[in-house]
């Protein structure tokens, strides 16, 4: 009855709006399975007395007090969350958080190409269905051995690695150019809602039932999504059984080969300055996001002394802000482009710069406000609210080469989501291991801010917006031979 009711409502929507909803929900599940570890791992591990003493010595004059004012008055407590019994130190926590990325970077390129060749329905669907099954094994693996748990996280990363490239292949076939910033921001960044829902939900579950239940609940919701995706998703407008002639006409001008699949022009890709600029700024953006959002909960717990339930609620706010800001700025960007007030190139440069500089400034300010929890959370919310990458570099792969959009995102995500997702937790873990001090965290956030700004400068200098000559080069050559 649930499926039939959902089907009746979807019949009244545009087909690409239905697809937008399905991908949005899929991204929620994607990031529930991926990012929940940032919070759950803090409940899994045992906070040793000597570690608590070490932190208290550093922040006793600031954070580990009660009546400070603002949010701190009711939310800041002693660092005493002993929910878990696993004896993992900061370096092991860093390894656990980065292990997903070890697997994630291995399937980016192949995931994009598989989606281009065989369709995003199967590739994206299996990329979330299999990790949902693996989540059921996480609690047992954690109790047995940390290495086994890390191996499971690597496998989850391997299968989820295909999801983002598969979405780009889908976007290139379904979404007109004038709608892409809006569509990508409101659809892909269901990922932000994944964290908005996951952090408070896991905080409540951990406080009420225990950390093991987080894995089981997330798995069940993800398996439900898989059923809905199977029945309602289609690879292209031509495959959809109920698409209207009007909607089919709207997407008929997209420069994507629906029959012949041109071979990947690897040499042209490697020599493309716009692609290098996109890749570099994507790496900088990912390094910054991972530092603020994946390692941020550790900063809030160990430096500001927040308890698990409070940590869950507050950790979701920056991601809610990121989604709202991303949708609003994406729509603004599309309007400015359609109305002729900004060229496509100027829009990409302007909004990418704002999306990188804003969180960089927020991180630098955040680490100097000390124990003022209100100010820290406000910085995170403002910085992430302006991190609207869908109006900047994130759609550049679709601009540059629609036929290879999935492959290009796979290349970029191999280095950003995989490489930076691995590197950032290890760097933060190395700097703060047995050294949870203000000076250590200042080094962490200054480093991330610098990476943001420098990488954006490369993007601004190299980016182009016209489809590159190699997008159709091989296909045209084959046609001439025929």
């Amino acid at each position: 009855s649930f499926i039939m009711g959902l089907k009746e409502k979807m019949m009244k929507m545009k087909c690409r709006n239905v697809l937008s909803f399905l991908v949005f929900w899929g991204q929620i599940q994607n990031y529930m399975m991926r990012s929940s570890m940032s919070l759950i791992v803090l409940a899994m591990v045992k906070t040793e007395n000597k570690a608590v003493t070490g932190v208290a010595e550093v922040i006793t004059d600031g954070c580990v007090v009660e009546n400070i004012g603002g949010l701190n008055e009711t939310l800041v407590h002693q660092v005493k969350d002993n929910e878990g019994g696993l004896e993992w130190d900061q370096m092991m926590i860093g390894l656990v958080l980065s292990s997903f990325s070890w697997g994630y970077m291995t399937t980016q390129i192949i995931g994009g190409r598989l989606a281009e060749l065989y369709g995003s329905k199967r590739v994206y669907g299996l990329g979330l269905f299999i990790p949902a099954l693996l989540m059921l094994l996480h609690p047992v693996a954690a109790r047995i051995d940390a290495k086994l748990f890390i191996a499971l996280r690597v496998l989850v990363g391997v299968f989820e690695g295909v999801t983002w490239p598969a979405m780009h292949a889908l976007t290139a076939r379904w979404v007109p150019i004038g709608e892409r910033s809006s569509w990508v921001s409101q659809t892909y960044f269901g990922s932000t809602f994944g964290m908005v829902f996951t952090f408070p939900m896991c905080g409540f579950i951990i406080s009420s039932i225990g950390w093991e239940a987080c894995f089981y609940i997330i798995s069940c919701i993800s398996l439900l999504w898989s059923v809905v995706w199977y029945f309602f998703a289609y690879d292209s407008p031509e495959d959809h059984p109920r698409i209207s002639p009007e909607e089919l006409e709207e997407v008929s001008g997209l420069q994507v080969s629906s029959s012949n699949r041109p071979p990947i022009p690897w040499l042209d890709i490697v020599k493309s300055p716009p692609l290098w600029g996109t890749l570099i700024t994507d790496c900088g953006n990912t390094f910054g996001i991972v530092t603020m959002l994946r390692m941020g909960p550790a900063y809030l717990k160990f430096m500001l002394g927040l308890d698990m339930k409070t940590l869950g609620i507050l950790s979701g706010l920056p991601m809610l802000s990121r989604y709202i800001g991303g949708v609003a700025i994406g729509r603004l960007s599309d309007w400015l482009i359609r109305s002729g007030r900004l060229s496509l190139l100027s829009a990409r440069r302007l909004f990418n710069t704002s999306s990188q500089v804003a969180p960089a400034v927020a991180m630098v300010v955040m680490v100097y406000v000390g124990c003022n929890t209100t100010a820290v959370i406000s910085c995170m919310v403002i910085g992430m609210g302006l991190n609207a990458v869908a109006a900047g570099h994130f759609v550049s792969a679709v601009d540059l080469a629609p036929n290879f959009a999935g492959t290009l995102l796979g290349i970029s995500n191999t280095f950003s989501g995989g490489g930076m997702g691995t590197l950032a937790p290890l760097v933060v873990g190395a700097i703060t291991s047995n050294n949870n001090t203000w000076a250590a965290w200042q080094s962490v956030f200054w480093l991330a801010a610098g990476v943001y700004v420098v990488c954006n400068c490369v993007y601004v200098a190299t980016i182009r917006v016209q489809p590159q000559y190699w997008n159709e080069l091989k296909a045209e050559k084959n046609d001439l031979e025929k």
Side-chain angles (χ1 to χ4, degrees), residues 212-449:
E212 295 95 337
C214 293
F215 294 110
Y216 300 134
I217 292 172
I218 291 172
S219 174
C220 289
I221 301 173
S222 300
L223 291 172
L224 174 62
W225 172 87
S226 298
V227 174
V228 177
W229 175 262
Y230 177 79
F231 283 106
F232 295 108
Y234 293 90
D235 288 316
S236 69
E238 294 79 10
D239 294 335
H240 207 293
R242 68 167 190 84
I243 191 169
S244 67
E246 294 79 13
E247 186 174 6
L248 193 58
E249 177 64 25
E250 289 174 2
V251 299
S252 62
L254 298 178
Q255 298 182 38
V256 182
S257 173
S258 58
S259 54
N260 296 325
R261 295 291 189 266
I264 301 173
W266 289 111
L267 184 59
D268 293 308
I269 288 173
V270 170
K271 294 189 299 183
S272 174
L275 186 61
W276 278 104
T278 301
L279 186 154
I280 289 170
T281 197
D282 195 34
C283 286
N285 183 65
T286 302
F287 189 93
I289 288 177
V290 170
T291 300
M292 182 179 283
L293 297 179
R294 196 184 296 179
M295 306 308 297
Y299 177 75
L300 295 175
K301 178 177 180 179
F302 296 125
M303 297 306 293
L304 300 188
L306 302 188
D307 60 57
M308 290 304 301
K309 187 180 290 187
T310 300
L311 193 58
I313 294 170
L314 295 185
S315 295
L317 293 179
M319 296 315 299
L320 177 61
S321 171
R322 187 172 188 247
Y323 183 79
I324 294 171
V327 171
I329 294 172
R331 290 180 183 274
L332 173 62
S333 174
D334 282 344
W335 176 76
L336 289 171
I337 293 166
R338 287 197 303 267
S339 65
R341 287 171 170 81
L342 272 182
S343 68
L344 183 58
L345 180 59
S346 297
R348 295 288 186 256
R349 285 172 169 166
L350 172 64
F351 289 109
N352 199 74
T353 298
S354 63
S355 74
Q356 306 301 288
V357 173
V361 172
M363 283 194 289
V364 171
V365 173
M366 181 178 79
V367 79
Y368 287 102
V369 298
C371 300
N372 189 331
T373 307
T374 306
V376 170
I377 298 300
S378 296
C379 286
M380 295 177 75
V381 166
I382 293 169
M384 286 295 100
L386 294 173
N387 184 235
V389 295
H393 73 269
F394 204 76
V395 288
S396 289
V398 184
D399 292 337
L400 295 171
N403 274 321
F404 305 105
T407 298
L408 296 187
L409 184 68
I411 294 170
S412 179
N413 234 14
T414 298
F415 293 96
S416 60
M420 296 301 105
T422 297
L423 181 63
L426 296 178
V427 169
V428 175
I431 294 173
T432 61
S433 183
N434 299 318
N435 186 31
N436 267 311
T437 63
W438 296 114
W441 282 100
Q442 285 167 6
S443 298
V444 166
F445 290 125
W446 268 107
L447 174 62

Side-chain angles (χ1 to χ4, degrees), residues 37 41 88-102 146-147 149-151 153-154 294-295 421-422 425-427 429-430:
M37 280 307 305
V41 72
W88 296 351
D89 59 16
Q90 282 287 95
M91 202 64 204
M92 179 58 73
I93 291 174
L95 289 171
V96 167
L97 292 178
S98 69
S99 58
F100 172 92
S101 299
W102 306 348
K147 295 184 182 68
F149 186 83
I150 287 174
R153 293 304 297 168
V154 172
R294 196 184 296 179
M295 306 308 297
T422 297
L426 296 178
V427 169

